[in-house]
Amino acid sequence: MNNKLMLSVTMLVKDSEKYLERVLQSYSDFDEIIVLDNGSTDNTIAIAERFENVKIYRSEFIGFGPLKNLAASYAKNDWILNMDSDEVMRTELVDEIRKIDFTNKQVIYGMLCLNHYRGRVIKACGWYPNIVKRLYNRQSVSFDDKKVHESLHFLNQEGKIHILREHYLHYSFDGADDLIRKLQHYTSLYAEQMKYRKEATVFKGFTHGLFGFIKHYFLKKGMFYGADGFVIASANAMGSYYKYVKLAEANQRLKVSLLVTTYNRVDALEAVLVSVMHQEKLPFEVVVADDGSREDTIALIKKYQAFFPVPLKHAWQKDDGFRLSESRNRGLALCEGEYVVMIDGDMVLHPKFILDHIQNAKKGFFVQGGRVMFNEKKTKEYLATPDQYRRVYWYQPNIETRFEKRLSACHLPFLNRLQKKDISYSHKAIRGCNMAFFLDDVIQVNGFNSEFVGWGREDSEFVERMFNLGVKRHNVKYSAIAYHLYHKEEERDALPKNDRLLKEAISEKKKYCEKGLSEFLNK
């Protein structure tokens, strides 16, 4: 008589020979076991091949969530029991699973876990009670796509969570070496998963680590387990610390392409390039998007290319009227960084400009920065020595007569963090002269709309498509400061046509423009 449980056990393995034979034996009552190997070099596969109900598959590591979904896709049963290769199933838990009514697919079953350290059950340090959601129906439930700290969620409609009474045994760590190895692996995965999505600093790591130790050693009773409790609480604290440190460093490795738009203003462009050279954090590259400047601009760029500290690229197009959008697309097509900071060719940068933009970059957002206006007198004074970079202070005359605007010249990042910055939708004060975005998002909306010819609304239409894509706005003030050199206002003859293009993007909820970046990416 076949008394098998018609469930599929899914299990990720890599160099799991230590406990695998005992583990697989404990699942002998289950119909099949899907073993998904991530590149074992020990006897893991040889051990797994001894068991008749085991089916072996292989995959590179793509993250725990995606791997667990992949393993479930190989199963012949819809009910999936996901377990680890060091988790032993107890007979009492198997008997409880047999009594489950599997007709309701909208249920996720959680199980109690007994974690072991050096062969000893630990009911402290946040390890107990440890309830883990393990048993589910793949037609209604799946794992999310997180590389680490993945979890089960219902696909279509909400269901319920039911916790079983019995425990399984988790032989987590044989000692400090296992703790440290797992700590390193999981903190690295966390940093990779959360980079550009969450702000992190070394100080945050220190405070989280300190309070983590207090929590797990004292409040979670680790002190009652002697040296083992101290080691586990310390490892938990170090995990919190390194998680934030690695994330902070990963965020700072963002590759920034600085896109500078220009047209026949060689003196201002030189001042901008000099200010780039004085950045505390240099961009990965600088791309000058040129709307048809004369030979003097080309000569200036060639001059600076000879000694510029990062690659300096030049995207030029024929002078055929004001075609800023197309010029930007040509420049974007040359960008090799993952993040683009876009400025006008008359925006002199504060020394922390690039660093500030890196610190404010967040996935799912574009950044709108501000500007400090120079009047005509201050601009002439500043451009008198274009090859010498001079820091501008808020109290200097000829910047602004309005105090609140002059205050914008103050570099006060802590005030920037205090203000409300994240906005789902707003066209207020949209300016392409200080804007930043992830290149992947720009590619999805196909860059700027090259149908815009003449001054006006090209920035707003681009941002509208970003909003429709789901990208939100992140405002930056008292940070990422740039000084806008004086120039005469452009003619506004094209505004009626450009207003119409903007209204179309809004009313039709456009995410993509037909005439845009793709034309130049293909080249």
Side-chain angles (χ1 to χ4, degrees), residues 457-488:
R457 306 296 187 260
E458 63 281 335
D459 298 331
S460 295
E461 195 271 349
F462 166 74
V463 164
E464 177 64 27
R465 285 182 282 115
M466 293 282 269
F467 283 141
N468 294 336
L469 183 68
V471 180
K472 297 179 181 179
R473 173 176 173 174
H474 180 72
N475 287 336
V476 171
K477 197 172 183 181
Y478 312 116
S479 186
I481 298 169
Y483 310 99
H484 200 166
L485 303 178
Y486 172 83
H487 62 79
K488 293 181 180 179

Side-chain angles (χ1 to χ4, degrees), residues 141-411:
V141 178
S142 73
F143 282 94
D144 55 36
D145 289 330
K146 292 181 179 179
K147 290 186 175 182
V148 66
H149 303 314
E150 70 288 349
S151 61
L152 289 168
H153 62 92
F154 292 98
L155 296 175
N156 299 315
Q157 61 187 36
E158 287 301 312
K160 65 178 183 178
I161 310 296
H162 181 81
I163 308 302
L164 301 179
R165 295 190 308 273
E166 297 295 339
H167 301 74
Y168 66 87
L169 307 178
H170 185 200
Y171 291 91
S172 325
F173 310 102
D174 285 338
D177 188 56
D178 285 345
L179 273 174
I180 295 169
R181 189 183 303 113
K182 190 170 184 178
L183 178 155
Q184 287 284 14
H185 183 54
Y186 275 75
T187 53
S188 295
L189 287 175
Y190 177 86
E192 178 64 25
Q193 175 178 291
M194 298 304 295
K195 68 179 181 180
Y196 319 142
R197 299 179 186 277
K198 183 176 181 178
E199 184 181 349
T201 63
V202 173
F203 180 73
K204 275 190 176 182
F206 172 76
T207 55
H208 278 76
L210 176 61
F211 288 114
F213 178 80
I214 293 171
K215 174 184 175 182
H216 292 109
Y217 189 66
F218 294 104
L219 302 181
K220 296 292 184 179
K221 304 178 181 179
M223 58 185 175
F224 294 116
Y225 282 80
D228 289 345
F230 183 84
V231 170
I232 294 169
S234 298
N236 289 345
M238 293 305 294
S240 296
Y241 171 72
Y242 281 117
K243 182 171 70 174
Y244 280 90
V245 170
K246 290 181 180 182
L247 177 57
E249 292 181 354
N251 286 342
Q252 292 168 10
R253 286 193 291 268
L254 183 67
K255 290 169 65 175
V256 172
S257 294
L258 180 65
L259 182 66
V260 184
T261 60
T262 192
Y263 175 69
N264 281 335
R265 199 168 181 204
V266 68
D267 55 350
L269 179 60
E270 182 169 16
V272 172
L273 293 177
V274 170
S275 73
V276 173
M277 295 172 65
H278 284 82
Q279 291 296 297
E280 291 186 13
K281 173 75 174 180
L282 288 169
F284 169 71
E285 64 182 355
V286 175
V287 178
V288 178
D290 189 344
D291 193 12
S293 296
R294 296 182 296 264
E295 287 294 328
D296 56 351
T297 296
I298 298 172
L300 174 75
I301 293 172
K302 287 182 178 179
K303 169 188 169 182
Y304 273 81
Q305 282 174 334
F307 55 83
F308 211 65
V310 297
L312 177 58
K313 302 176 182 178
H314 187 200
W316 184 88
Q317 66 185 17
K318 182 180 178 181
D319 187 1
D320 191 15
F322 189 99
R323 294 184 295 144
L324 178 61
S325 289
E326 183 173 330
S327 175
R328 284 172 173 170
N329 286 332
R330 291 179 185 273
L332 286 168
L334 294 182
C335 290
E336 297 182 59
E338 55 200 315
Y339 195 66
V340 178
V341 177
M342 184 174 70
I343 63 171
D344 285 355
D346 52 11
M347 294 282 283
V348 177
L349 309 181
H350 185 281
K352 293 183 181 290
F353 182 82
I354 295 296
L355 181 61
D356 288 341
H357 265 293
I358 290 173
Q359 292 175 342
N360 281 280
K362 292 200 299 184
K363 279 285 190 181
F365 290 82
F366 73 90
V367 167
Q368 178 62 71
R371 58 183 177 175
V372 179
M373 301 295 294
F374 278 12
N375 61 22
E376 188 172 5
K377 181 180 179 182
K378 179 65 181 178
T379 298
K380 289 180 179 178
E381 175 190 322
Y382 193 90
L383 293 178
T385 53
D387 59 339
Q388 179 182 348
Y389 179 76
R390 289 178 293 149
R391 189 186 292 251
V392 181
Y393 296 96
W394 74 278
Y395 52 79
Q396 287 182 298
N398 303 321
I399 296 179
E400 274 278 3
T401 57
R402 295 166 294 178
F403 176 78
E404 70 277 8
K405 293 295 184 180
R406 188 175 287 193
L407 192 63
S408 298
C410 296
H411 188 260

